[in-house]
Amino acid sequence: MTGTTERPEEWASRGIDITKPSIARAYDVVLRGKDNFEVDRAFVSEITKVIPEIYDVAAYNRQVLGRGVRFLAEQGIRQFLDLGSGLPTVQNTHQVAQSVAPDSKVVYVDNDPMVLVHGRALLAQNERTSVVTADLRDPAAVLGDPGVTRLIDFTRPVAIMMVGILHHLHDDEDPKGIVEAYLDVAPSGSHLFVTHFCASSQEARDAEKQYLAMLGTGRFRTVEEITAYFDGLELLEPGVVPLPLWRPDGPVPVESDMSIGQRLMYGGIARKP
Ligand code: SAM
């Protein structure tokens, strides 16, 4: 981490590999956090050569996460399964949801060991929130984890959140099938919240090559592919759109004026009928 020892063997003993960039820590770099290593910063530095606005893109994603969770809480959702939740930062899901409805329950799921360490510290005081270390590609294991079953009641509506994560699943891992596995156990009135890297420009397609080469994941899918995650659901207004267009707090930006960075991620929320 910034300002601390970066001796690989010390971190390896805690299950943390600092010789390769990690998704969670690279995201922490672009959110201007402190929980990252030189290898993560070097990866982000390469990405900025293709997408100079990548720090702004992370901010758009965090902003829409906040707007989306607030919207879901205002719709009456009181349970949130936040899959691929990331390292704690400002305005995390439980803080936004519980500011609207203090009885909201939130389970964070991530497979990065640093998320567990930091998440536990953040949530030590909050009995309506838990952090589970699990691989979201194994829905049966996630749904059966005691950290999930203790807080989430699958007879009541739940928000399935896959924010900034599905692009880290390869096509042959069947991301759509994984989304469906979570939705299958959720009752009517549940919601799906997705944000995703989009192949919306040549620069985005170039960035995909860098992500795949250096991080090992990062599929920039088309708007049609992202929209397909919502098949069978009622897609709520304004649909699957560039993130700054999703229910902005201020005036709606003009789409034709939007920059490459503003169009790099698309997202939406849908309701299970
Ligand atoms: N959802 C947060 C947000 O949008 O601000 C964090 C997004 S971050 C880009 C993606 C997170 O997904 C990282 O923390 C990473 O460790 C986690 N992740 C990646 N693959 C995963 C997997 N197979 N199972 C669980 N978590 C995973």
Side-chain angles (χ1 to χ4, degrees), residues 52-92:
E53 296 169 81
I54 195 70
Y55 287 80
D56 295 334
V57 176
Y60 302 143
N61 190 56
R62 286 306 297 184
Q63 288 158 8
V64 84
L65 186 147
R67 298 199 300 275
V69 171
R70 197 176 68 217
F71 171 81
L72 289 162
E74 287 166 357
Q75 303 305 299
I77 297 290
R78 295 291 177 266
Q79 312 187 94
F80 297 81
L81 184 59
D82 190 347
L83 298 159
S85 52
L87 285 155
T89 174
V90 288
Q91 288 295 81
N92 299 290

Short mmCIF file of all heavy atoms in Angstrom, two decimals, residues 52-92:
data_model
loop_
_atom_site.label_atom_id
_atom_site.label_comp_id
_atom_site.label_asym_id
_atom_site.label_seq_id
_atom_site.Cartn_x
_atom_site.Cartn_y
_atom_site.Cartn_z
N PRO A 52 -7.60 8.59 -21.04
CA PRO A 52 -7.11 9.54 -20.03
C PRO A 52 -8.15 9.84 -18.94
O PRO A 52 -7.78 10.20 -17.83
CB PRO A 52 -6.80 10.80 -20.85
CG PRO A 52 -6.64 10.32 -22.26
CD PRO A 52 -7.52 9.12 -22.41
N GLU A 53 -9.44 9.65 -19.27
CA GLU A 53 -10.50 9.98 -18.31
C GLU A 53 -10.83 8.83 -17.35
O GLU A 53 -11.88 8.89 -16.70
CB GLU A 53 -11.81 10.29 -19.05
CG GLU A 53 -11.81 11.48 -19.94
CD GLU A 53 -13.10 11.46 -20.78
OE1 GLU A 53 -14.14 11.87 -20.26
OE2 GLU A 53 -13.05 11.02 -21.92
N ILE A 54 -9.98 7.80 -17.24
CA ILE A 54 -10.39 6.61 -16.49
C ILE A 54 -10.72 6.93 -15.02
O ILE A 54 -11.60 6.30 -14.42
CB ILE A 54 -9.34 5.48 -16.62
CG1 ILE A 54 -9.92 4.13 -16.17
CG2 ILE A 54 -8.06 5.80 -15.90
CD1 ILE A 54 -10.95 3.53 -17.08
N TYR A 55 -10.07 7.94 -14.45
CA TYR A 55 -10.40 8.31 -13.06
C TYR A 55 -11.83 8.87 -12.98
O TYR A 55 -12.57 8.59 -12.04
CB TYR A 55 -9.41 9.35 -12.53
CG TYR A 55 -8.03 8.80 -12.22
CD1 TYR A 55 -7.10 8.58 -13.24
CD2 TYR A 55 -7.65 8.50 -10.92
CE1 TYR A 55 -5.84 8.07 -12.97
CE2 TYR A 55 -6.39 7.99 -10.63
CZ TYR A 55 -5.49 7.77 -11.66
OH TYR A 55 -4.25 7.26 -11.38
N ASP A 56 -12.21 9.65 -13.99
CA ASP A 56 -13.59 10.19 -14.03
C ASP A 56 -14.59 9.04 -14.20
O ASP A 56 -15.68 9.07 -13.62
CB ASP A 56 -13.77 11.16 -15.20
CG ASP A 56 -12.90 12.39 -15.05
OD1 ASP A 56 -12.57 12.75 -13.91
OD2 ASP A 56 -12.56 12.99 -16.09
N VAL A 57 -14.22 8.02 -14.99
CA VAL A 57 -15.13 6.90 -15.24
C VAL A 57 -15.44 6.19 -13.91
O VAL A 57 -16.60 5.84 -13.63
CB VAL A 57 -14.51 5.90 -16.25
CG1 VAL A 57 -15.42 4.69 -16.43
CG2 VAL A 57 -14.26 6.59 -17.58
N ALA A 58 -14.41 6.01 -13.09
CA ALA A 58 -14.64 5.39 -11.78
C ALA A 58 -15.58 6.25 -10.94
O ALA A 58 -16.47 5.72 -10.25
CB ALA A 58 -13.30 5.20 -11.05
N ALA A 59 -15.41 7.55 -11.03
CA ALA A 59 -16.30 8.44 -10.27
C ALA A 59 -17.74 8.33 -10.78
O ALA A 59 -18.68 8.27 -9.97
CB ALA A 59 -15.80 9.88 -10.36
N TYR A 60 -17.92 8.25 -12.10
CA TYR A 60 -19.30 8.10 -12.63
C TYR A 60 -19.93 6.81 -12.10
O TYR A 60 -21.11 6.77 -11.77
CB TYR A 60 -19.32 8.04 -14.17
CG TYR A 60 -18.71 9.23 -14.87
CD1 TYR A 60 -17.98 9.07 -16.05
CD2 TYR A 60 -18.85 10.52 -14.36
CE1 TYR A 60 -17.41 10.15 -16.70
CE2 TYR A 60 -18.28 11.61 -15.00
CZ TYR A 60 -17.55 11.41 -16.16
OH TYR A 60 -16.97 12.47 -16.80
N ASN A 61 -19.09 5.75 -12.02
CA ASN A 61 -19.63 4.47 -11.55
C ASN A 61 -20.03 4.56 -10.08
O ASN A 61 -21.10 4.08 -9.68
CB ASN A 61 -18.59 3.36 -11.78
CG ASN A 61 -19.17 1.99 -11.53
OD1 ASN A 61 -20.18 1.62 -12.14
ND2 ASN A 61 -18.58 1.24 -10.63
N ARG A 62 -19.19 5.16 -9.25
CA ARG A 62 -19.55 5.31 -7.82
C ARG A 62 -20.78 6.19 -7.67
O ARG A 62 -21.64 5.96 -6.81
CB ARG A 62 -18.39 5.91 -7.02
CG ARG A 62 -17.25 4.98 -6.77
CD ARG A 62 -17.64 3.67 -6.13
NE ARG A 62 -18.22 3.79 -4.82
CZ ARG A 62 -18.56 2.73 -4.06
NH1 ARG A 62 -18.37 1.50 -4.51
NH2 ARG A 62 -19.10 2.90 -2.89
N GLN A 63 -20.86 7.25 -8.51
CA GLN A 63 -22.02 8.16 -8.38
C GLN A 63 -23.31 7.43 -8.75
O GLN A 63 -24.32 7.57 -8.07
CB GLN A 63 -21.82 9.39 -9.27
CG GLN A 63 -20.75 10.34 -8.73
CD GLN A 63 -20.17 11.25 -9.80
OE1 GLN A 63 -20.63 11.29 -10.94
NE2 GLN A 63 -19.13 11.99 -9.43
N VAL A 64 -23.27 6.63 -9.82
CA VAL A 64 -24.50 5.95 -10.21
C VAL A 64 -24.82 4.84 -9.21
O VAL A 64 -26.00 4.54 -8.97
CB VAL A 64 -24.44 5.42 -11.67
CG1 VAL A 64 -23.75 4.07 -11.77
CG2 VAL A 64 -25.84 5.33 -12.26
N LEU A 65 -23.81 4.24 -8.60
CA LEU A 65 -24.07 3.25 -7.55
C LEU A 65 -24.89 3.92 -6.43
O LEU A 65 -25.90 3.38 -5.98
CB LEU A 65 -22.77 2.68 -7.01
CG LEU A 65 -22.91 1.53 -6.00
CD1 LEU A 65 -21.75 0.54 -6.15
CD2 LEU A 65 -22.95 2.01 -4.56
N GLY A 66 -24.47 5.12 -6.04
CA GLY A 66 -25.20 5.84 -4.99
C GLY A 66 -26.62 6.17 -5.42
O GLY A 66 -27.59 5.94 -4.67
N ARG A 67 -26.78 6.67 -6.65
CA ARG A 67 -28.12 7.04 -7.12
C ARG A 67 -29.00 5.80 -7.24
O ARG A 67 -30.19 5.83 -6.90
CB ARG A 67 -28.04 7.75 -8.49
CG ARG A 67 -27.27 9.05 -8.46
CD ARG A 67 -27.59 9.93 -9.67
NE ARG A 67 -27.29 9.35 -10.98
CZ ARG A 67 -26.11 9.38 -11.58
NH1 ARG A 67 -25.08 9.93 -10.98
NH2 ARG A 67 -25.96 8.85 -12.78
N GLY A 68 -28.41 4.71 -7.71
CA GLY A 68 -29.18 3.48 -7.91
C GLY A 68 -29.64 2.88 -6.58
O GLY A 68 -30.79 2.46 -6.44
N VAL A 69 -28.74 2.85 -5.60
CA VAL A 69 -29.11 2.27 -4.29
C VAL A 69 -30.18 3.14 -3.63
O VAL A 69 -31.14 2.63 -3.05
CB VAL A 69 -27.85 2.11 -3.40
CG1 VAL A 69 -28.24 1.74 -1.98
CG2 VAL A 69 -26.93 1.05 -3.99
N ARG A 70 -30.01 4.45 -3.73
CA ARG A 70 -31.02 5.35 -3.15
C ARG A 70 -32.38 5.11 -3.82
O ARG A 70 -33.41 4.99 -3.15
CB ARG A 70 -30.57 6.80 -3.36
CG ARG A 70 -31.30 7.80 -2.46
CD ARG A 70 -30.73 9.19 -2.66
NE ARG A 70 -31.04 9.70 -3.99
CZ ARG A 70 -30.23 10.45 -4.75
NH1 ARG A 70 -29.04 10.78 -4.30
NH2 ARG A 70 -30.61 10.85 -5.94
N PHE A 71 -32.37 4.99 -5.15
CA PHE A 71 -33.60 4.72 -5.90
C PHE A 71 -34.24 3.40 -5.43
O PHE A 71 -35.44 3.34 -5.18
CB PHE A 71 -33.27 4.65 -7.40
CG PHE A 71 -34.39 4.17 -8.27
CD1 PHE A 71 -35.40 5.03 -8.67
CD2 PHE A 71 -34.43 2.85 -8.70
CE1 PHE A 71 -36.45 4.57 -9.48
CE2 PHE A 71 -35.46 2.39 -9.50
CZ PHE A 71 -36.47 3.25 -9.89
N LEU A 72 -33.41 2.37 -5.31
CA LEU A 72 -33.94 1.06 -4.90
C LEU A 72 -34.54 1.13 -3.50
O LEU A 72 -35.62 0.58 -3.24
CB LEU A 72 -32.82 0.01 -4.95
CG LEU A 72 -32.35 -0.38 -6.36
CD1 LEU A 72 -30.99 -1.07 -6.30
CD2 LEU A 72 -33.39 -1.27 -7.04
N ALA A 73 -33.86 1.82 -2.59
CA ALA A 73 -34.39 1.96 -1.22
C ALA A 73 -35.70 2.74 -1.26
O ALA A 73 -36.65 2.40 -0.53
CB ALA A 73 -33.35 2.66 -0.34
N GLU A 74 -35.77 3.73 -2.11
CA GLU A 74 -37.02 4.51 -2.22
C GLU A 74 -38.15 3.68 -2.82
O GLU A 74 -39.32 3.97 -2.59
CB GLU A 74 -36.77 5.78 -3.07
CG GLU A 74 -35.96 6.82 -2.31
CD GLU A 74 -35.40 7.95 -3.19
OE1 GLU A 74 -35.59 7.89 -4.43
OE2 GLU A 74 -34.76 8.85 -2.64
N GLN A 75 -37.79 2.63 -3.59
CA GLN A 75 -38.83 1.72 -4.13
C GLN A 75 -39.29 0.72 -3.07
O GLN A 75 -40.13 -0.12 -3.33
CB GLN A 75 -38.29 0.91 -5.32
CG GLN A 75 -37.75 1.71 -6.48
CD GLN A 75 -38.75 2.71 -7.01
OE1 GLN A 75 -39.83 2.33 -7.46
NE2 GLN A 75 -38.42 3.98 -6.93
N GLY A 76 -38.66 0.75 -1.90
CA GLY A 76 -39.06 -0.15 -0.82
C GLY A 76 -38.14 -1.34 -0.64
O GLY A 76 -38.40 -2.19 0.22
N ILE A 77 -37.07 -1.43 -1.42
CA ILE A 77 -36.13 -2.55 -1.26
C ILE A 77 -35.37 -2.37 0.05
O ILE A 77 -34.86 -1.28 0.36
CB ILE A 77 -35.13 -2.59 -2.45
CG1 ILE A 77 -35.87 -2.86 -3.77
CG2 ILE A 77 -34.03 -3.63 -2.21
CD1 ILE A 77 -36.44 -4.25 -3.93
N ARG A 78 -35.30 -3.46 0.81
CA ARG A 78 -34.63 -3.40 2.12
C ARG A 78 -33.50 -4.43 2.25
O ARG A 78 -32.91 -4.56 3.32
CB ARG A 78 -35.66 -3.63 3.25
CG ARG A 78 -36.71 -2.54 3.34
CD ARG A 78 -36.08 -1.22 3.82
NE ARG A 78 -37.05 -0.14 3.85
CZ ARG A 78 -37.24 0.73 2.84
NH1 ARG A 78 -36.52 0.64 1.73
NH2 ARG A 78 -38.14 1.68 2.94
N GLN A 79 -33.23 -5.16 1.15
CA GLN A 79 -32.16 -6.16 1.17
C GLN A 79 -31.32 -5.99 -0.10
O GLN A 79 -31.87 -5.92 -1.21
CB GLN A 79 -32.74 -7.57 1.15
CG GLN A 79 -33.86 -7.80 2.15
CD GLN A 79 -34.23 -9.27 2.18
OE1 GLN A 79 -33.71 -10.01 3.01
NE2 GLN A 79 -35.08 -9.68 1.27
N PHE A 80 -30.01 -5.97 0.08
CA PHE A 80 -29.10 -5.70 -1.02
C PHE A 80 -28.00 -6.76 -1.01
O PHE A 80 -27.30 -6.92 -0.01
CB PHE A 80 -28.47 -4.31 -0.86
CG PHE A 80 -29.46 -3.18 -0.92
CD1 PHE A 80 -30.22 -2.85 0.20
CD2 PHE A 80 -29.66 -2.46 -2.09
CE1 PHE A 80 -31.15 -1.82 0.15
CE2 PHE A 80 -30.59 -1.43 -2.15
CZ PHE A 80 -31.34 -1.11 -1.03
N LEU A 81 -27.87 -7.48 -2.12
CA LEU A 81 -26.77 -8.44 -2.29
C LEU A 81 -25.81 -7.81 -3.28
O LEU A 81 -26.07 -7.77 -4.49
CB LEU A 81 -27.32 -9.78 -2.79
CG LEU A 81 -26.31 -10.92 -2.93
CD1 LEU A 81 -25.63 -11.24 -1.60
CD2 LEU A 81 -27.01 -12.19 -3.47
N ASP A 82 -24.72 -7.26 -2.75
CA ASP A 82 -23.78 -6.46 -3.55
C ASP A 82 -22.62 -7.36 -3.97
O ASP A 82 -21.68 -7.61 -3.21
CB ASP A 82 -23.31 -5.28 -2.68
CG ASP A 82 -22.51 -4.25 -3.47
OD1 ASP A 82 -22.11 -4.54 -4.62
OD2 ASP A 82 -22.27 -3.15 -2.92
N LEU A 83 -22.69 -7.87 -5.21
CA LEU A 83 -21.75 -8.88 -5.70
C LEU A 83 -20.58 -8.22 -6.41
O LEU A 83 -20.78 -7.46 -7.35
CB LEU A 83 -22.50 -9.82 -6.66
CG LEU A 83 -23.65 -10.61 -6.02
CD1 LEU A 83 -24.64 -11.09 -7.08
CD2 LEU A 83 -23.12 -11.79 -5.21
N GLY A 84 -19.36 -8.49 -5.94
CA GLY A 84 -18.18 -7.79 -6.48
C GLY A 84 -18.17 -6.38 -5.93
O GLY A 84 -18.12 -5.39 -6.67
N SER A 85 -18.22 -6.30 -4.60
CA SER A 85 -18.51 -5.02 -3.93
C SER A 85 -17.31 -4.09 -3.88
O SER A 85 -17.47 -2.88 -3.76
CB SER A 85 -18.99 -5.30 -2.51
OG SER A 85 -18.08 -6.16 -1.85
N GLY A 86 -16.09 -4.62 -3.94
CA GLY A 86 -14.90 -3.78 -3.92
C GLY A 86 -14.46 -3.39 -2.53
O GLY A 86 -15.11 -3.70 -1.53
N LEU A 87 -13.32 -2.69 -2.48
CA LEU A 87 -12.81 -2.19 -1.21
C LEU A 87 -13.71 -1.07 -0.71
O LEU A 87 -14.25 -0.31 -1.52
CB LEU A 87 -11.38 -1.65 -1.41
CG LEU A 87 -10.32 -2.73 -1.57
CD1 LEU A 87 -9.13 -2.20 -2.33
CD2 LEU A 87 -9.90 -3.24 -0.19
N PRO A 88 -13.87 -0.95 0.60
CA PRO A 88 -14.71 0.14 1.10
C PRO A 88 -14.17 1.50 0.64
O PRO A 88 -12.97 1.71 0.59
CB PRO A 88 -14.59 0.01 2.63
CG PRO A 88 -14.11 -1.37 2.87
CD PRO A 88 -13.30 -1.76 1.68
N THR A 89 -15.10 2.38 0.27
CA THR A 89 -14.72 3.73 -0.14
C THR A 89 -15.76 4.67 0.46
O THR A 89 -16.33 4.34 1.50
CB THR A 89 -14.60 3.79 -1.69
OG1 THR A 89 -14.39 5.14 -2.08
CG2 THR A 89 -15.79 3.25 -2.43
N VAL A 90 -15.98 5.83 -0.15
CA VAL A 90 -17.01 6.71 0.40
C VAL A 90 -18.38 6.27 -0.09
O VAL A 90 -18.50 5.71 -1.18
CB VAL A 90 -16.77 8.19 -0.01
CG1 VAL A 90 -15.58 8.76 0.73
CG2 VAL A 90 -16.61 8.31 -1.50
N GLN A 91 -19.40 6.51 0.70
CA GLN A 91 -20.78 6.22 0.34
C GLN A 91 -20.95 4.81 -0.21
O GLN A 91 -21.33 4.60 -1.36
CB GLN A 91 -21.31 7.27 -0.67
CG GLN A 91 -21.55 8.63 -0.03
CD GLN A 91 -22.66 8.58 1.01
OE1 GLN A 91 -22.44 8.18 2.16
NE2 GLN A 91 -23.86 8.94 0.63
N ASN A 92 -20.63 3.84 0.66
CA ASN A 92 -20.84 2.44 0.29
C ASN A 92 -22.33 2.11 0.32
O ASN A 92 -23.14 2.87 0.86
CB ASN A 92 -20.06 1.56 1.27
CG ASN A 92 -18.57 1.85 1.21
OD1 ASN A 92 -17.92 1.53 0.22
ND2 ASN A 92 -18.04 2.49 2.24
#
